[in-house]
Amino acid sequence: MTHVFHRNPNHSLPTAIAGEGIELIDQNGKRYIDASGGAAVSCLGHSHQDVIQAIHQQIDAVAYAHTSFFTNEAAEELATFLAERAPGDLNHVYYVSGGSEAVEAALKLARQYFVELNQPSRRLFIARRQSYHGNTLGALAIGGNAWRRAPFLPLLTEAHHVSPCYAYRDQAEYETEQDYALRLAAELEQKILDLGPDNVAAFIAEPIVGATAGVLPPVQGYLQAIRDVCDKYGVLLIFDEVMCGMGRTGHLFACAEDGVAPDILTIAKGLGAGYQPIGAMLASSKIYHTIVNGSGFFQHGHTYMGHATACAAALAVQKVIERDHLLANVQARGAQLRHELHEQLDAHPNVGNIRGRGLMVGIELVADKFTKTPLEHTAKTHAKLRKVAMEKGLLLYPMGGTVDGVHGDHILLAPPFICDATDITRIVELVSATIHEVLPCVVEPVALRA
């Protein structure tokens, strides 16, 4: 009997006892290729000696000192590292322990910013359906996944939602990407007008939607179009890069690929690569100086913010990524991953869409690829995929509710940045074998092109 309150108490789990490179090892010595990085976390794989050494060195110096009394060298150096590389003028870094905390901090900062400006009516937040921003109450309130929100609705603050940028299902045949982007931006603008521009504090979006909708990259011009709408009405733009940021797309900050900077940005997962719990919120100079020159105090905080050991681990992770040119590898291996998935799975009648950027790739599964009808949700295909993959020694991140929170199934792939070409081919082989076992078809995968 376990005394741990697991997230799914009815499932027994293997015990992870070691990790080596892109693999995890259980108590029986079985090895699993970590093709999802857990939940897109373990970007450097497991047991990276540079990071472990940095953690040891920090613990030997000072593991933790509360930030109401002290700062620490690791926190200061990491903040400088991030600010120097962040888009726009995101020059100020506020540390937390994870993604949900980062989003909570962003919401509270946006609200306090307008209070400091004597615009207290700006209290409303707009997000997108099929978005995910965390499991704390504030983050859950703005999230767009109906299934996750439903049990807690009486506890959630008011939030409003517009359509996601979901080109596979929602872009009309006659629309160009630019047309589709402008249509979505017009919807956001109308929502702001309906709510009253003086009542809206911020619009929050994942530049690339992650686990909830199975990797939805923005179409060309979308991020700029929503930036323009927010600027028009004085609404803050918050980008949630908890999953898609910190190199996952082949760019340190995902929004940089589109040349668009938000007012506030949240990061976590790949920031510390799982070696220590850490997240952060980056704020623009405009927002920071409004607080500094106003009340002089951000009314928020957590006990472990700016944790010295966590910051030392994250700094080591980011230095390794830069030193070893891993962003270039992410782009190259990501292109290979998508290419080989297309080669192996495009002929499968239940593979509807393969999409993504860098090493963040989604495979949406359907009952009919021509009508895009989802699989029967009661079949829980995503759960079967997870089980079969683990039996084969592969860790995937499958989810259900892709389309509307109830219907739809997808697989999210987020392999470590350290993968080589052979690793990617092996992952594709195992993904293909898993899908063919769970959803058997008579069509054989085509041979890889040279």
Side-chain angles (χ1 to χ4, degrees):
M1 174 183 174
T2 180
H3 293 282
V4 176
F5 195 152
H6 291 288
R7 66 173 68 198
N8 193 335
N10 292 322
H11 289 187
S12 60
L13 299 171
T15 300
I17 63 166
E20 182 179 319
I22 69 168
E23 294 182 325
L24 283 165
I25 306 165
D26 72 12
Q27 75 276 16
N28 298 316
K30 182 175 179 177
R31 289 175 173 266
Y32 304 81
I33 296 176
D34 192 0
S36 64
V41 175
S42 301
C43 60
L44 288 188
H46 306 278
S47 301
H48 199 293
Q49 290 305 305
D50 294 61
V51 184
I52 292 171
Q53 183 180 4
I55 291 171
H56 279 303
Q57 289 176 344
Q58 186 61 54
I59 291 173
D60 288 342
V62 56
Y64 165 76
H66 197 280
T67 52
S68 65
F69 300 104
F70 296 97
T71 186
N72 61 79
E73 291 180 355
E76 296 290 340
E77 187 176 350
L78 177 60
T80 298
F81 183 99
L82 294 171
E84 288 178 347
R85 292 158 179 78
D89 65 342
L90 296 170
N91 296 323
H92 303 278
V93 180
Y94 187 92
Y95 295 113
V96 290
S97 296
S100 295
E101 285 186 12
V103 171
E104 293 283 332
L107 300 178
K108 291 179 75 173
L109 181 62
R111 169 59 182 167
Q112 186 175 336
Y113 168 73
F114 285 113
V115 171
E116 302 267 0
L117 290 179
N118 196 29
Q119 299 180 36
S121 65
R122 287 191 183 263
R123 68 194 187 283
L124 302 178
F125 291 86
I126 302 172
R128 302 185 297 181
R129 292 185 292 277
Q130 284 307 95
S131 58
Y132 179 69
H133 298 294
N135 261 330
T136 49
L137 289 177
L140 192 62
I142 61 167
N145 185 284
W147 176 79
R148 294 177 188 267
R149 288 162 47 87
F152 308 103
L153 282 174
L155 307 180
L156 304 182
T157 57
E158 180 181 358
H160 302 268
H161 296 89
V162 294
S163 298
C165 186
Y166 198 165
Y168 171 62
R169 291 192 173 274
D170 297 340
Q171 183 180 348
E173 290 186 10
Y174 61 84
E175 284 183 311
T176 65
E177 289 194 8
Q178 191 69 31
D179 291 338
Y180 179 46
L182 292 175
R183 175 161 64 86
L184 292 173
E187 181 186 349
L188 172 61
E189 181 172 19
Q190 188 59 54
K191 177 65 73 173
I192 292 172
L193 292 172
D194 291 344
L195 296 172
D198 292 342
N199 296 323
V200 179
F203 174 60
I204 181 169
E206 299 167 90
I208 300 176
V209 179
T212 302
V215 188
L216 301 181
V219 297
Q220 183 178 7
Y222 172 73
L223 295 187
Q224 185 60 58
I226 61 173
R227 171 79 270 183
D228 293 342
V229 170
C230 289
D231 289 343
K232 182 176 180 180
Y233 295 101
V235 172
L236 295 180
L237 178 59
I238 302 172
F239 280 159
D240 177 354
E241 294 202 2
V242 167
M243 178 174 277
C244 66
M246 293 290 93
R248 176 55 57 189
T249 66
H251 297 261
L252 192 60
F253 296 91
C255 61
E257 183 170 352
D258 298 83
V260 179
D263 301 292
I264 301 173
L265 184 143
T266 61
I267 53 176
K269 298 181 184 292
L271 174 61
Y275 286 88
Q276 290 282 285
I278 188 169
M281 172 190 70
L282 280 67
S284 68
S285 294
K286 173 184 71 175
I287 295 175
Y288 176 79
H289 289 298
T290 297
I291 303 298
V292 169
N293 297 326
S295 66
F297 178 69
F298 179 31
Q299 297 184 40
H300 188 58
H302 294 280
T303 298
Y304 295 115
M305 59 183 289
H307 194 287
T309 308
C311 290
L315 180 61
V317 168
Q318 298 310 312
K319 285 183 174 180
V320 167
I321 291 172
E322 192 165 275
R323 181 197 69 197
D324 295 349
H325 308 291
L326 291 181
L327 295 184
N329 192 58
V330 170
Q331 294 181 27
R333 299 285 72 77
Q336 177 194 354
L337 176 59
R338 293 188 299 278
H339 171 75
E340 293 189 10
L341 286 171
H342 279 296
E343 292 285 346
Q344 289 293 306
L345 294 171
D346 275 355
H348 195 293
N350 300 120
V351 175
N353 191 224
I354 297 169
R355 55 193 179 235
R357 290 184 180 179
L359 284 174
M360 185 175 182
V361 174
I363 305 169
E364 184 167 341
L365 301 165
V366 294
D368 186 317
K369 68 194 310 174
F370 299 104
T371 64
K372 304 179 184 178
T373 304
L375 295 163
E376 174 53 54
H377 71 278
T378 57
K380 297 188 181 300
T381 301
H382 57 283
K384 295 175 184 176
L385 290 162
R386 182 192 302 270
K387 180 176 182 294
V388 170
M390 286 194 71
E391 291 170 354
K392 296 181 183 298
L394 181 69
L395 302 179
L396 302 176
Y397 196 169
M399 290 285 288
T402 310
V403 179
D404 57 10
V406 176
H407 303 92
D409 297 86
H410 69 261
I411 296 169
L412 189 153
L413 297 172
F417 301 174
I418 59 174
C419 283
D420 61 24
T422 301
D423 296 328
I424 295 298
T425 295
R426 181 59 179 154
I427 288 170
V428 171
E429 289 172 348
L430 290 172
V431 169
S432 179
T434 297
I435 291 175
H436 278 84
E437 182 170 333
V438 175
L439 296 166
C441 73
V442 296
V443 180
E444 293 295 327
V446 297
L448 284 176
R449 289 195 295 262

